[in-house]
Amino acid sequence: MSTNSIDSLLHETRRFPPTAEFSANAIAQAGLYEAAKADRVGFWAEQARQLLHWHKPFTETLDWSGAPVARWFADGEINVAYNCLDRHVLAGNGDRVAIHWEGEPGDSRSISYAELTAEVKRAANAMAALGVGKGDRVAVYLPVIPEAVVAMLAIARLGAVHSVVFGGYSSESLRSRIDDASAKLVITADGGWRKGKVFPLKAAVDGALANGTSSVEHVLVVRRGENEVEWTAGRDLWWHDELEKAGAEHEAQGFEAENPLFILYTSGTTGKPKGILHTSGGYLTQVAFTHKNVFDLHPETDVYWCTADVGWITGHSYVVYGPLANGATQLMYEGTPDTPHPGRWWELIEKYKVSILYTAPTAIRSFMKLGRAIPDRFDLTSLRLLGSVGEPINPEAWIWYRDAIGGGSTPIVDTWWQTETGAIMISALPGLTTLKPGSAQVPIPGVKIDILGEDGTRVDPPQGGLLVVSEPWPSMLRGIWGDPERFRETYWSRFSKADDWRYFAGDGAHVDADGDIVLLGRVDDVMNVSGHRLSTQEIESALVSHPIVAEAAVVGAADETTGQAVVAFVILRSDQEAAQTVDEASTMLRAHVTGQIGAIARPRQVFVVAELPKTRSGKIMRRLLQDVAEGRELGDTTTLTDATVMQIITDKLK
Ligand code: PRX
């Protein structure tokens, strides 16, 4: 972010205090901050007891003796699925709609808590019959359909561990995730709907399992796309057949609070994605707490909609676990925002009378580009709260969101968190905080955040630094699957001293004069494209795996809609230079990255260059390439081995 825009963010003067009416009815009251301040750990114990059902109550709240691996509520026992299902039915809310689901072609289903519970029980029995039990890993590769939720909860119900892989990832990405976690079972669908077409999922699973050495014993296939699929007898089974055979009764058993709940892969600074591990009791406590208090959830009357795919952490925490633990009624939508028309989201809000909407700045900016006339055609007056997540929201987009979508009156909660943090860490509480566009503002009660300078000392406002979490929190990651060393190195080595553990988030942040936190984006080689995390190195590895490429460098260049965009610079192998035109090479390489990782990683541009700028120690200077990609004057080139390289690159690109 340029210094100019940081300045304007820090001097943002618009303020939006909550209305008296909102505050009076708000779930979160000021006492929360006071209670957390008086006894932070005790505060979380209280939340865990109030919000969740424990099969066996815990007596110990936090064990930090094995830092940086925390144990929360460790002697307690819990069943995560029971908390999201059975207990609501037992409390007399079985008829409440859990999920209004809308398929992209316009088909829809409304599923009550009683129905969802029954379906999960059958799915749990079906999976148990296939040998899935406590601790086993199950990969889930599904579109946004109710079966994705059913599958995740059934796995959780058995004490097994899900690894959901976003349906847009390629066969290759799926394969590496299945292998890393040694998954026993894969749950997929024949296809899903996207942009008016069925995209095949089963074929990607077949590709991922093709070399025959996989740990996978069975593939359960949901029928959704009605497209043709290949079938491996003995291995592949239809979801509906297995559920039909399965018994209807399933008693949820309690598992220890630290029993792993899921692994979710996310990009880091190296080429290999990290399997972020989350466990049960602490995770569910913080997602339930934040979902209720940040979104001001009134489960009897609200209709909540989080637009995230279940393949991302936002989908895990705020489509599946948070809302269902709190007994919310929510909308799930399978497709893209512009199919079959650009007002589809607003039509859905009108149809289901959505009252709380949680989405990403990139979506808001693309709607902004299309203009207000589109949302203006729909009745959006049911909305009373808006949320934002995934990347910094610029004040213009914030104001547009509030005016065009929120009718000029809804509060907006800008929520900062990560796959690793499991749940929201920094956000306004809508009945309490005076909102400020462009700032996520304050840590939630019970979370301790600091902004440190390079030397590890706290910066004074208004100054910039690096964001750390200074005390363990319930939904924190418990590790990187199979790689404890990388876990310590990535998150804990930078600022921790002796017994003083500091979690380094990888984000830069400023504290403004009011003490509010303004997020500035990643400080490492991680890009944020449309709110999705991508690693520059992972894309570089994908590029150099193509036979025509000798070397590659990838940068995230500022992009008006997607926040950042992937821009690649490649050197072709000398025997290939003449063989293809630059355009051919670029098209081929964009397709290659899609095949290796998935369409989300496809570079916006691939530039064929003769050389890359390197320091004397051989490090690629991505900063300079970023200047070129963003059309800026070049920064300092004095540390380059050969300063003329940049001139050649810029001249060529002109
Ligand atoms: O850079 C921050 C950005 O997204 C990163 C985490 O990405 P991921 O693990 O994919 O999770 C995204 C959804 C929680 C962070 O390191 N980020 C997330 N939310 C915000 C944000 N940056 C600024 N403001 C936010 N509200």
Side-chain angles (χ1 to χ4, degrees):
M1 198 175 285
S2 69
T3 326
N4 251 342
S5 58
I6 297 170
D7 262 8
S8 65
L9 273 177
L10 292 176
H11 294 108
E12 171 62 55
T13 52
R14 289 166 284 191
R15 297 290 181 275
F16 301 88
T19 61
E21 193 200 345
F22 197 104
S23 295
N25 297 316
I27 298 284
Q29 297 291 336
L32 287 177
Y33 288 113
E34 284 152 31
K37 205 168 162 203
D39 175 7
R40 204 185 70 83
V41 171
F43 166 81
W44 284 119
E46 180 60 23
Q47 295 305 326
R49 289 192 191 101
Q50 266 186 29
L51 293 164
L52 305 180
H53 170 86
W54 291 85
H55 270 68
K56 176 176 162 242
F58 56 90
T59 61
E60 189 189 9
T61 305
L62 169 66
D63 174 5
W64 194 221
S65 62
V69 182
R71 293 168 60 78
W72 283 87
F73 319 120
D75 65 344
E77 285 179 7
I78 193 166
N79 186 293
V80 170
Y82 180 92
N83 271 279
C84 294
L85 301 164
D86 311 53
R87 67 166 169 149
H88 303 313
V89 179
L90 294 170
N93 294 321
D95 290 341
R96 183 185 294 164
V97 172
I99 299 172
H100 289 294
W101 175 77
E102 179 101 359
E104 198 189 73
D107 49 337
S108 64
R109 285 162 71 183
S110 288
I111 305 166
S112 69
Y113 273 93
E115 289 163 340
L116 191 64
T117 306
E119 187 89 352
V120 169
K121 286 181 176 178
R122 277 191 184 276
N125 284 328
M127 283 185 222
L130 295 175
V132 175
K134 180 171 184 272
D136 289 334
R137 276 80 60 204
V138 179
V140 176
Y141 186 62
L142 284 171
V144 179
I145 53 177
E147 285 78 4
V149 179
V150 173
M152 290 163 78
L153 291 175
I155 295 162
R157 193 174 184 93
L158 295 170
V161 186
H162 56 70
S163 164
V164 182
V165 180
F166 171 59
Y169 275 125
S170 68
S171 190
E172 271 304 308
S173 297
L174 177 62
R175 181 208 310 267
S176 67
R177 286 158 172 77
I178 289 173
D179 289 350
D180 189 71
S182 313
K184 196 170 188 176
L185 173 72
V186 180
I187 305 177
T188 189
D190 50 358
W193 285 88
R194 222 187 119 75
K195 293 191 188 291
K197 287 202 283 271
V198 172
F199 65 95
L201 283 162
K202 172 67 166 56
V205 175
D206 293 338
L209 304 182
N211 65 6
T213 59
S214 166
S215 49
V216 172
E217 293 164 12
H218 290 287
V219 179
L220 266 179
V221 188
V222 177
R223 187 133 70 197
R224 165 64 189 147
E226 304 287 340
N227 50 322
E228 289 280 314
V229 290
E230 299 212 346
W231 211 251
T232 303
R235 186 195 71 185
D236 298 348
L237 303 162
W238 286 109
W239 167 271
H240 56 265
D241 286 345
E242 297 309 299
L243 260 69
E244 205 179 291
K245 278 195 269 171
E249 280 318 310
H250 185 275
E251 198 182 330
Q253 174 195 336
F255 296 100
E256 65 273 19
E258 285 297 337
N259 192 44
L261 178 63
F262 64 85
I263 303 167
L264 183 59
Y265 287 84
T266 188
S267 297
T269 50
T270 71
K272 190 174 179 273
K274 303 177 280 197
I276 303 300
L277 176 68
H278 283 287
T279 59
S280 305
Y283 171 78
L284 199 62
T285 298
Q286 196 171 332
V287 295
F289 171 78
T290 48
H291 181 259
K292 183 173 165 185
N293 289 285
V294 172
F295 299 116
D296 191 47
L297 182 81
H298 292 72
E300 306 78 23
T301 47
D302 275 317
V303 179
Y304 163 86
W305 183 20
C306 166
T307 64
D309 191 289
V310 290
W312 308 117
I313 191 67
T314 309
H316 282 59
S317 302
Y318 298 106
V319 175
V320 182
Y321 293 110
L324 297 175
N326 289 333
T329 294
Q330 69 174 318
L331 172 63
M332 266 174 89
Y333 168 58
E334 178 187 34
T336 52
D338 49 359
T339 310
H341 61 82
R344 185 73 191 268
W345 276 19
W346 319 126
E347 184 181 61
L348 288 171
I349 289 173
E350 181 180 286
K351 175 171 171 188
Y352 292 100
K353 301 203 168 22
V354 171
S355 54
I356 304 168
L357 174 67
Y358 189 32
T359 194
T362 184
I364 299 160
R365 288 192 299 264
S366 14
F367 292 128
M368 232 171 121
K369 264 214 220 143
L370 296 174
R372 250 191 100 138
I374 297 170
D376 279 352
R377 285 205 289 275
F378 299 90
D379 178 6
L380 305 180
T381 52
S382 55
L383 286 170
R384 61 176 199 89
L385 180 74
L386 304 175
S388 173
V389 63
E391 50 178 319
I393 176 164
N394 45 312
E396 305 73 53
W398 197 102
I399 297 287
W400 189 88
Y401 193 22
R402 184 180 150 98
D403 285 346
I405 308 304
S409 63
T410 53
I412 297 179
V413 286
D414 175 3
T415 62
W416 179 90
W417 58 295
Q418 308 177 299
T419 306
E420 292 87 340
T421 69
I424 294 169
M425 302 290 278
I426 307 177
S427 171
L429 292 183
L432 295 170
T433 319
T434 289
L435 303 171
K436 186 190 289 178
S439 163
Q441 300 193 284
V442 281
I444 60 154
V447 163
K448 175 95 171 65
I449 302 277
D450 283 302
I451 314 293
L452 306 181
E454 292 284 343
D455 63 352
T457 54
R458 207 175 294 142
V459 300
D460 292 319
Q463 273 183 58
L466 302 168
L467 189 138
V468 299
V469 189
S470 299
E471 298 284 355
W473 64 103
S475 63
M476 69 195 291
L477 76 167
R478 301 301 199 265
I480 294 178
W481 186 257
D483 203 344
E485 208 27 65
R486 190 174 178 197
F487 170 61
R488 282 175 166 261
E489 175 57 34
T490 310
Y491 305 108
W492 303 98
S493 64
R494 178 109 187 221
F495 291 115
S496 303
K497 285 191 215 86
D499 269 346
D500 186 16
W501 294 93
R502 304 291 177 117
Y503 168 87
F504 173 51
D507 277 45
H510 246 87
V511 192
D512 71 11
D514 304 324
D516 281 331
I517 301 169
V518 177
L519 274 310
L520 303 175
R522 302 287 307 191
V523 294
D524 50 13
D525 291 333
V526 171
M527 290 171 285
N528 192 326
V529 179
S530 297
H532 298 146
R533 245 164 99 167
L534 295 170
S535 142
T536 52
Q537 278 202 31
E538 196 181 348
I539 302 176
E540 286 167 6
S541 307
L543 285 165
V544 295
S545 75
H546 195 284
I548 66 169
V549 177
E551 235 185 305
V554 164
V555 297
D559 183 282
E560 245 186 52
T561 309
T562 59
Q564 285 188 309
V566 180
V567 176
F569 296 83
V570 297
I571 304 178
L572 297 186
R573 290 167 55 150
S574 48
D575 55 340
Q576 296 289 333
E577 272 173 38
Q580 17 255 324
T581 67
V582 166
D583 280 350
E584 277 165 6
S586 165
T587 309
M588 194 150 76
L589 293 174
R590 292 178 73 231
H592 179 68
V593 173
T594 308
Q596 289 288 301
I597 304 175
I600 46 166
R602 179 172 48 224
R604 183 183 72 186
Q605 289 153 305
V606 176
F607 294 119
V608 176
V609 294
E611 279 192 76
L612 290 169
K614 288 192 182 150
T615 60
R616 287 181 186 97
S617 59
K619 230 181 140 227
I620 294 175
M621 291 195 69
R622 292 205 183 81
R623 183 175 53 78
L624 293 177
L625 293 173
Q626 191 156 6
D627 289 340
V628 177
E630 294 177 354
R632 254 198 317 274
E633 283 293 299
L634 288 186
D636 185 5
T637 57
T638 50
T639 52
L640 283 180
T641 338
D642 173 5
T644 56
V645 168
M646 284 318 293
Q647 202 49 53
I648 298 168
I649 294 179
T650 15
D651 288 349
K652 184 157 180 201
L653 300 187
K654 270 180 202 149

